[in-house]
Coordinates of all heavy atoms in Angstrom, one line a residue:
M1 N -22.9 141.2 107.1 CA -22.4 142.3 106.3 C -23.1 143.6 106.6 O -24.3 143.6 106.7 CB -22.6 141.9 104.8 CG -22.1 142.9 103.8 SD -22.2 142.2 102.2 CE -22.1 143.7 101.2
S2 N -22.4 144.6 106.8 CA -23.0 145.9 107.1 C -23.4 146.6 105.8 O -22.8 146.4 104.7 CB -22.0 146.8 107.8 OG -21.6 146.2 109.0
R3 N -24.4 147.5 105.9 CA -24.7 148.3 104.8 C -25.3 149.6 105.3 O -25.9 149.6 106.4 CB -25.7 147.6 103.9 CG -27.1 147.4 104.4 CD -28.0 146.7 103.4 NE -29.3 146.9 103.8 CZ -30.3 146.2 103.2 NH1 -30.1 145.4 102.3 NH2 -31.6 146.4 103.6
K4 N -25.1 150.7 104.5 CA -25.6 152.0 104.9 C -27.0 152.2 104.5 O -27.3 151.8 103.3 CB -24.7 153.0 104.2 CG -25.0 154.4 104.6 CD -24.0 155.4 103.9 CE -24.4 156.8 104.1 NZ -23.5 157.7 103.3
E5 N -27.8 152.6 105.4 CA -29.2 152.8 105.1 C -29.6 154.3 105.4 O -29.1 154.9 106.4 CB -30.1 151.9 105.9 CG -29.9 150.4 105.6 CD -30.7 150.0 104.3 OE1 -31.6 150.7 103.9 OE2 -30.3 149.0 103.8
Q6 N -30.6 154.8 104.7 CA -31.2 156.1 105.1 C -32.6 155.8 105.7 O -33.4 155.0 105.2 CB -31.4 157.0 103.9 CG -30.1 157.3 103.2 CD -30.3 158.3 102.1 OE1 -31.0 159.4 102.3 NE2 -29.8 158.0 100.9
V7 N -32.8 156.3 106.9 CA -34.0 155.9 107.7 C -34.7 157.2 108.0 O -34.2 158.2 108.4 CB -33.5 155.2 109.0 CG1 -34.7 154.9 109.9 CG2 -32.8 154.0 108.7
L8 N -36.1 157.1 107.9 CA -36.9 158.2 108.4 C -37.7 157.7 109.6 O -38.4 156.7 109.5 CB -37.9 158.6 107.2 CG -38.9 159.6 107.5 CD1 -38.3 161.0 107.9 CD2 -39.9 159.8 106.3
I9 N -37.6 158.4 110.7 CA -38.3 158.0 111.9 C -39.6 158.9 111.9 O -39.5 160.1 111.9 CB -37.4 158.2 113.1 CG1 -36.2 157.3 113.1 CG2 -38.3 157.9 114.4 CD1 -35.2 157.4 114.2
I10 N -40.7 158.2 111.9 CA -42.0 158.9 111.7 C -42.6 159.1 113.1 O -42.9 158.2 113.8 CB -42.9 158.1 110.8 CG1 -42.3 158.0 109.4 CG2 -44.3 158.8 110.7 CD1 -43.1 157.1 108.5
T11 N -42.7 160.4 113.5 CA -43.4 160.8 114.8 C -44.3 162.0 114.5 O -43.8 162.9 113.9 CB -42.3 161.1 115.8 OG1 -41.4 160.1 115.9 CG2 -42.9 161.4 117.1
P12 N -45.5 161.9 114.9 CA -46.4 163.1 114.7 C -45.9 164.3 115.4 O -45.5 164.2 116.6 CB -47.8 162.6 115.2 CG -47.5 161.5 116.1 CD -46.2 160.9 115.7
P13 N -45.9 165.5 114.8 CA -45.5 166.7 115.5 C -46.6 167.1 116.5 O -47.8 166.7 116.3 CB -45.4 167.7 114.3 CG -46.3 167.2 113.3 CD -46.3 165.7 113.4
M14 N -46.2 167.9 117.5 CA -47.2 168.3 118.5 C -48.3 169.2 117.8 O -49.4 169.0 118.2 CB -46.4 169.1 119.6 CG -47.3 169.6 120.7 SD -48.0 168.2 121.7 CE -46.5 167.8 122.6
F15 N -47.9 170.0 116.9 CA -48.8 170.9 116.2 C -48.5 170.8 114.7 O -47.4 170.8 114.3 CB -48.7 172.3 116.7 CG -48.9 172.5 118.2 CD1 -47.8 172.7 119.0 CD2 -50.2 172.5 118.7 CE1 -48.0 172.9 120.4 CE2 -50.3 172.6 120.1 CZ -49.2 172.8 120.9
E16 N -49.6 170.6 114.0 CA -49.4 170.5 112.5 C -49.3 171.9 111.9 O -50.2 172.6 111.9 CB -50.6 169.7 111.9 CG -50.3 169.2 110.5 CD -50.9 167.9 110.3 OE1 -51.8 167.5 111.0 OE2 -50.5 167.2 109.3
K17 N -48.1 172.1 111.3 CA -47.9 173.5 110.8 C -48.3 173.5 109.3 O -48.9 174.5 108.9 CB -46.4 173.8 110.8 CG -45.8 173.8 112.2 CD -44.3 174.1 112.1 CE -43.6 173.2 113.1 NZ -42.2 173.1 112.9
D18 N -48.1 172.5 108.6 CA -48.3 172.5 107.1 C -49.3 171.4 106.8 O -49.0 170.2 106.9 CB -47.0 172.3 106.4 CG -47.2 172.4 104.9 OD1 -48.3 172.6 104.4 OD2 -46.1 172.4 104.2
L19 N -50.5 171.7 106.4 CA -51.5 170.7 106.0 C -51.2 169.9 104.8 O -51.8 168.9 104.5 CB -52.9 171.4 105.9 CG -53.4 172.0 107.2 CD1 -54.7 172.7 107.0 CD2 -53.5 171.0 108.3
N20 N -50.2 170.4 104.0 CA -49.8 169.6 102.9 C -48.8 168.5 103.2 O -48.4 167.7 102.3 CB -49.1 170.6 101.9 CG -50.0 171.6 101.2 OD1 -51.2 171.2 101.0 ND2 -49.6 172.8 101.1
G21 N -48.5 168.4 104.5 CA -47.6 167.3 104.9 C -46.2 167.7 105.2 O -45.8 168.8 105.0
E22 N -45.5 166.8 105.7 CA -44.1 167.0 106.0 C -43.3 166.4 104.8 O -43.6 165.3 104.4 CB -43.6 166.2 107.3 CG -44.3 166.7 108.5 CD -44.0 165.8 109.7 OE1 -44.5 164.7 109.7 OE2 -43.3 166.3 110.6
H23 N -42.3 167.1 104.3 CA -41.6 166.7 103.1 C -40.2 166.4 103.5 O -39.5 167.1 104.2 CB -41.6 167.8 102.0 CG -43.0 168.2 101.6 ND1 -43.5 167.8 100.4 CD2 -44.0 168.8 102.2 CE1 -44.7 168.2 100.2 NE2 -45.1 168.8 101.3
F24 N -39.7 165.3 103.0 CA -38.3 164.8 103.2 C -37.7 164.4 101.9 O -38.4 163.7 101.1 CB -38.3 163.6 104.2 CG -38.9 164.0 105.5 CD1 -40.3 163.7 105.8 CD2 -38.2 164.5 106.5 CE1 -40.9 164.0 107.0 CE2 -38.8 164.8 107.8 CZ -40.1 164.6 108.0
R25 N -36.5 164.7 101.7 CA -35.8 164.3 100.5 C -34.6 163.4 100.9 O -33.8 163.9 101.7 CB -35.3 165.5 99.6 CG -36.5 166.3 99.1 CD -36.0 167.4 98.2 NE -36.1 166.9 96.8 CZ -35.6 167.5 95.8 NH1 -34.8 168.6 96.0 NH2 -35.7 167.1 94.6
F26 N -34.4 162.3 100.3 CA -33.2 161.5 100.4 C -32.5 161.5 99.1 O -33.0 161.0 98.1 CB -33.6 160.0 100.8 CG -34.3 160.0 102.2 CD1 -35.6 160.2 102.3 CD2 -33.5 159.7 103.3 CE1 -36.2 160.1 103.6 CE2 -34.1 159.7 104.6 CZ -35.5 159.9 104.7
L27 N -31.2 161.9 99.2 CA -30.4 162.1 98.0 C -29.4 161.0 97.8 O -29.2 160.2 98.7 CB -29.7 163.5 98.1 CG -30.5 164.7 98.4 CD1 -29.6 165.9 98.6 CD2 -31.5 165.0 97.3
D28 N -28.8 161.0 96.6 CA -27.7 160.1 96.3 C -28.0 158.7 96.5 O -27.2 157.9 97.0 CB -26.5 160.5 97.2 CG -26.0 161.9 97.0 OD1 -26.2 162.4 95.9 OD2 -25.4 162.5 97.9
I29 N -29.1 158.3 96.0 CA -29.5 156.9 96.0 C -29.1 156.3 94.6 O -29.6 156.8 93.6 CB -31.0 156.7 96.3 CG1 -31.4 157.3 97.6 CG2 -31.4 155.2 96.2 CD1 -32.8 157.4 97.9
I30 N -28.3 155.3 94.6 CA -27.9 154.7 93.4 C -29.0 154.0 92.6 O -29.8 153.3 93.2 CB -26.7 153.7 93.6 CG1 -25.5 154.4 94.2 CG2 -26.4 152.9 92.4 CD1 -24.4 153.5 94.6
C31 N -29.2 154.4 91.4 CA -30.2 153.9 90.5 C -30.0 152.3 90.4 O -29.0 151.9 89.9 CB -30.2 154.6 89.2 SG -31.4 153.9 88.0
P32 N -31.0 151.5 90.8 CA -30.9 150.1 90.6 C -31.0 149.6 89.2 O -30.6 148.5 88.9 CB -32.0 149.5 91.5 CG -33.0 150.6 91.6 CD -32.3 151.9 91.4
T33 N -31.6 150.4 88.3 CA -31.8 150.0 87.0 C -30.5 149.9 86.2 O -30.1 149.0 85.5 CB -32.8 150.9 86.2 OG1 -34.0 150.8 87.0 CG2 -33.0 150.5 84.8
C34 N -29.6 151.0 86.4 CA -28.3 151.1 85.7 C -27.2 150.9 86.6 O -26.0 151.0 86.2 CB -28.2 152.4 85.0 SG -28.2 153.8 86.1
N35 N -27.5 150.6 87.9 CA -26.4 150.4 88.9 C -25.5 151.6 89.0 O -24.3 151.5 89.2 CB -25.7 149.1 88.7 CG -25.0 148.7 90.0 OD1 -25.4 149.0 91.1 ND2 -23.9 147.9 89.8
G36 N -26.0 152.8 88.8 CA -25.3 154.1 88.9 C -24.5 154.5 87.7 O -23.9 155.5 87.7
A37 N -24.6 153.7 86.6 CA -23.8 154.0 85.4 C -24.5 155.1 84.6 O -23.8 155.8 83.8 CB -23.6 152.8 84.5
G38 N -25.8 155.2 84.7 CA -26.5 156.2 83.9 C -26.9 155.8 82.5 O -27.6 156.5 81.8
E39 N -26.5 154.6 82.1 CA -26.8 154.0 80.9 C -27.0 152.5 81.0 O -26.5 151.9 81.9 CB -25.8 154.4 79.8 CG -24.4 154.0 80.1 CD -23.4 154.5 79.1 OE1 -23.7 155.4 78.3 OE2 -22.2 154.0 79.2
V40 N -27.8 152.0 80.1 CA -28.1 150.6 80.1 C -27.9 150.0 78.7 O -28.0 150.7 77.7 CB -29.6 150.3 80.5 CG1 -29.8 150.6 82.0 CG2 -30.6 151.1 79.6
P41 N -27.5 148.7 78.6 CA -27.2 148.2 77.2 C -28.5 148.0 76.4 O -29.6 147.7 77.0 CB -26.6 146.8 77.5 CG -26.9 146.5 78.9 CD -27.2 147.8 79.6
Q42 N -28.4 148.2 75.2 CA -29.6 148.0 74.3 C -29.7 146.5 74.1 O -28.7 145.8 74.1 CB -29.3 148.7 72.9 CG -29.4 150.1 72.9 CD -29.1 150.7 71.5 OE1 -28.8 150.0 70.6 NE2 -29.4 152.0 71.3
H43 N -30.9 146.1 73.8 CA -31.1 144.7 73.4 C -30.7 144.5 72.0 O -30.7 145.4 71.2 CB -32.5 144.3 73.7 CG -32.9 144.4 75.1 ND1 -32.5 143.5 76.1 CD2 -33.7 145.3 75.7 CE1 -33.0 143.9 77.2 NE2 -33.7 145.0 77.1
G44 N -30.4 143.3 71.6 CA -30.2 143.0 70.2 C -29.2 141.9 70.0 O -29.5 140.9 69.3
D45 N -28.0 142.0 70.5 CA -27.0 140.9 70.3 C -27.3 139.8 71.4 O -26.8 139.9 72.5 CB -25.6 141.5 70.5 CG -24.5 140.5 70.2 OD1 -24.9 139.4 69.7 OD2 -23.4 140.8 70.5
F46 N -28.0 138.8 71.0 CA -28.5 137.8 71.9 C -27.3 137.1 72.6 O -27.3 136.7 73.7 CB -29.3 136.8 71.1 CG -29.8 135.6 72.0 CD1 -30.9 135.8 72.8 CD2 -29.2 134.4 71.9 CE1 -31.3 134.8 73.6 CE2 -29.7 133.4 72.7 CZ -30.7 133.6 73.5
F47 N -26.2 136.8 71.8 CA -25.1 136.0 72.4 C -24.1 136.9 73.1 O -23.2 136.4 73.7 CB -24.4 135.2 71.3 CG -25.3 134.2 70.7 CD1 -25.9 134.4 69.4 CD2 -25.7 133.1 71.4 CE1 -26.8 133.4 68.9 CE2 -26.5 132.1 70.9 CZ -27.1 132.3 69.6
G48 N -24.2 138.2 73.0 CA -23.3 139.1 73.7 C -21.9 139.1 73.1 O -20.9 139.3 73.8
L49 N -21.8 138.8 71.8 CA -20.5 138.8 71.2 C -19.9 140.2 70.8 O -18.7 140.4 70.8 CB -20.6 137.9 69.9 CG -21.0 136.5 70.1 CD1 -21.2 135.8 68.8 CD2 -20.0 135.8 71.0
E50 N -20.8 141.1 70.6 CA -20.4 142.4 70.2 C -20.5 143.3 71.5 O -21.4 143.1 72.3 CB -21.3 143.0 69.1 CG -21.3 142.3 67.8 CD -20.0 142.5 67.1 OE1 -19.5 143.6 67.2 OE2 -19.5 141.6 66.4
P51 N -19.7 144.4 71.6 CA -19.9 145.3 72.7 C -21.3 145.9 72.5 O -21.7 146.3 71.4 CB -18.8 146.4 72.5 CG -17.8 145.7 71.6 CD -18.5 144.7 70.8
A52 N -22.0 146.0 73.6 CA -23.4 146.5 73.5 C -23.5 148.0 73.3 O -22.6 148.7 73.9 CB -24.2 146.1 74.8
D53 N -24.4 148.4 72.4 CA -24.7 149.8 72.3 C -25.4 150.2 73.6 O -26.2 149.4 74.1 CB -25.5 150.1 71.1 CG -24.7 149.9 69.8 OD1 -23.5 150.1 69.8 OD2 -25.3 149.5 68.8
M54 N -25.2 151.4 74.0 CA -25.8 151.8 75.3 C -26.9 152.9 75.1 O -26.8 153.7 74.2 CB -24.7 152.4 76.3 CG -23.6 151.4 76.5 SD -24.1 149.9 77.3 CE -24.1 150.4 79.0
D55 N -27.9 152.8 75.9 CA -29.0 153.8 75.9 C -29.0 154.5 77.3 O -28.6 153.9 78.3 CB -30.4 153.1 75.8 CG -30.8 152.9 74.3 OD1 -30.2 153.6 73.4 OD2 -31.6 152.0 74.1
I56 N -29.4 155.7 77.3 CA -29.5 156.5 78.5 C -30.6 155.8 79.4 O -31.6 155.3 78.9 CB -29.8 158.0 78.3 CG1 -29.6 158.8 79.5 CG2 -31.2 158.1 77.7 CD1 -29.6 160.3 79.3
C57 N -30.3 155.7 80.7 CA -31.2 155.0 81.6 C -32.5 155.9 81.7 O -32.3 157.1 82.1 CB -30.6 154.8 83.0 SG -31.6 154.1 84.2
Q58 N -33.6 155.4 81.4 CA -34.9 156.1 81.5 C -35.3 156.5 82.9 O -36.0 157.4 83.2 CB -36.0 155.4 80.8 CG -35.7 155.1 79.3 CD -35.6 156.4 78.5 OE1 -36.5 157.3 78.7 NE2 -34.6 156.6 77.7
R59 N -34.9 155.6 83.9 CA -35.3 155.8 85.3 C -34.6 157.0 85.9 O -35.3 157.8 86.6 CB -35.1 154.5 86.0 CG -35.7 154.5 87.4 CD -35.6 153.2 88.0 NE -36.4 153.0 89.2 CZ -36.4 152.0 90.0 NH1 -35.6 151.0 89.7 NH2 -37.2 152.0 91.0
C60 N -33.3 157.1 85.7 CA -32.6 158.2 86.4 C -32.2 159.3 85.4 O -31.5 160.2 85.8 CB -31.3 157.6 87.1 SG -30.1 157.0 85.9
N61 N -32.6 159.1 84.1 CA -32.3 160.1 83.1 C -30.8 160.3 82.9 O -30.4 161.4 82.7 CB -33.0 161.4 83.4 CG -33.2 162.2 82.1 OD1 -33.2 161.7 81.0 ND2 -33.4 163.6 82.3
G62 N -30.0 159.3 83.1 CA -28.6 159.3 82.9 C -27.8 159.8 84.1 O -26.6 159.8 84.1
A63 N -28.4 160.2 85.2 CA -27.7 160.7 86.3 C -27.0 159.6 87.1 O -26.0 159.8 87.8 CB -28.7 161.5 87.3
G64 N -27.6 158.4 87.1 CA -27.1 157.3 87.9 C -27.5 157.3 89.3 O -27.3 156.4 90.1
L65 N -28.2 158.4 89.7 CA -28.7 158.6 91.1 C -30.1 158.9 91.1 O -30.6 159.6 90.1 CB -27.9 159.6 91.8 CG -26.4 159.4 92.0 CD1 -25.7 160.7 92.5 CD2 -26.1 158.2 92.9
L66 N -30.8 158.6 92.1 CA -32.2 158.9 92.3 C -32.4 159.7 93.6 O -31.6 159.7 94.5 CB -33.1 157.6 92.4 CG -33.1 156.7 91.2 CD1 -33.8 155.4 91.6 CD2 -33.7 157.4 90.0
I67 N -33.5 160.4 93.7 CA -33.9 161.1 94.9 C -35.2 160.5 95.3 O -36.2 160.3 94.5 CB -34.1 162.6 94.6 CG1 -32.8 163.3 94.3 CG2 -34.8 163.3 95.8 CD1 -33.0 164.7 93.8
A68 N -35.3 160.2 96.6 CA -36.6 159.7 97.2 C -37.3 160.9 97.8 O -36.7 161.6 98.7 CB -36.4 158.7 98.3
D69 N -38.4 161.3 97.3 CA -39.2 162.4 97.8 C -40.4 161.9 98.6 O -41.3 161.3 98.0 CB -39.7 163.2 96.5 CG -39.9 164.6 96.8 OD1 -39.7 165.1 98.0 OD2 -40.3 165.4 95.9
V70 N -40.3 162.0 99.9 CA -41.2 161.4 100.8 C -42.1 162.5 101.4 O -41.6 163.5 101.9 CB -40.5 160.6 101.9 CG1 -41.5 160.0 102.9 CG2 -39.6 159.6 101.3
V71 N -43.4 162.3 101.4 CA -44.4 163.2 102.0 C -45.1 162.4 103.1 O -45.7 161.4 102.8 CB -45.3 163.8 101.0 CG1 -46.3 164.7 101.7 CG2 -44.6 164.5 99.9
V72 N -45.2 162.9 104.3 CA -45.9 162.3 105.4 C -47.1 163.2 105.7 O -46.9 164.4 106.0 CB -45.1 162.1 106.6 CG1 -45.9 161.5 107.8 CG2 -43.9 161.3 106.3
R73 N -48.3 162.7 105.6 CA -49.5 163.4 105.9 C -50.2 162.7 107.1 O -50.4 161.5 107.1 CB -50.5 163.5 104.7 CG -50.0 164.3 103.6 CD -51.1 164.6 102.5 NE -50.5 165.4 101.5 CZ -49.9 164.9 100.4 NH1 -49.9 163.6 100.2 NH2 -49.4 165.7 99.5
W74 N -50.6 163.5 108.1 CA -51.2 163.0 109.3 C -52.7 163.1 109.2 O -53.2 164.2 108.8 CB -50.7 163.7 110.5 CG -49.2 163.4 110.7 CD1 -48.2 164.3 110.3 CD2 -48.6 162.3 111.2 NE1 -47.0 163.7 110.6 CE2 -47.2 162.5 111.1 CE3 -49.1 161.1 111.7 CZ2 -46.3 161.5 111.6 CZ3 -48.1 160.1 112.2 CH2 -46.8 160.4 112.1
K75 N -53.4 162.0 109.5 CA -54.9 162.1 109.6 C -55.4 161.1 110.6 O -54.7 160.2 111.0 CB -55.5 161.8 108.2 CG -55.1 160.4 107.6 CD -55.6 160.3 106.2 CE -55.3 158.9 105.7 NZ -55.8 158.7 104.3
P76 N -56.7 161.2 111.0 CA -57.2 160.2 112.0 C -57.2 158.8 111.5 O -57.4 158.6 110.3 CB -58.6 160.7 112.2 CG -58.7 162.1 111.6 CD -57.6 162.2 110.6
D77 N -56.9 157.9 112.4 CA -56.9 156.5 112.0 C -58.3 156.0 112.1 O -58.9 155.8 113.2 CB -56.0 155.7 113.0 CG -55.9 154.2 112.6 OD1 -56.7 153.8 111.7 OD2 -55.1 153.5 113.2
E78 N -59.0 155.8 111.0 CA -60.4 155.4 111.0 C -60.5 153.9 110.6 O -61.6 153.4 110.2 CB -61.1 156.2 110.0 CG -61.2 157.7 110.4 CD -61.8 158.6 109.4 OE1 -61.9 158.2 108.2 OE2 -62.1 159.8 109.7
T79 N -59.4 153.1 110.8 CA -59.4 151.7 110.4 C -59.9 150.9 111.6 O -60.1 149.7 111.4 CB -58.0 151.3 110.0 OG1 -57.1 151.4 111.1 CG2 -57.6 152.0 108.8
V80 N -59.9 151.5 112.8 CA -60.3 150.7 114.0 C -61.8 150.8 114.4 O -62.4 151.8 114.0 CB -59.4 151.1 115.2 CG1 -58.0 150.6 115.0 CG2 -59.4 152.6 115.5
Ligands
LIG1 ZN1 -30.4 154.7 86.1

């Protein structure tokens, strides 16, 4: 099964322009907590007999989508 992925290929630049790092934003990522609905069911009706009252999703704040904010900082490898 195929699936669409967002990929960041990490390669050090020849000259470092910004000491705060390289910033990348990945948009339109479906919130896995609410599955893009922007709201989640409240707990309470154990048997699920009543339609669930819904709360706004705290993770995406109701947007249904997330943004991945990635910062890459380059430094010497001192692990070897
Ligand atoms: Zn959400």
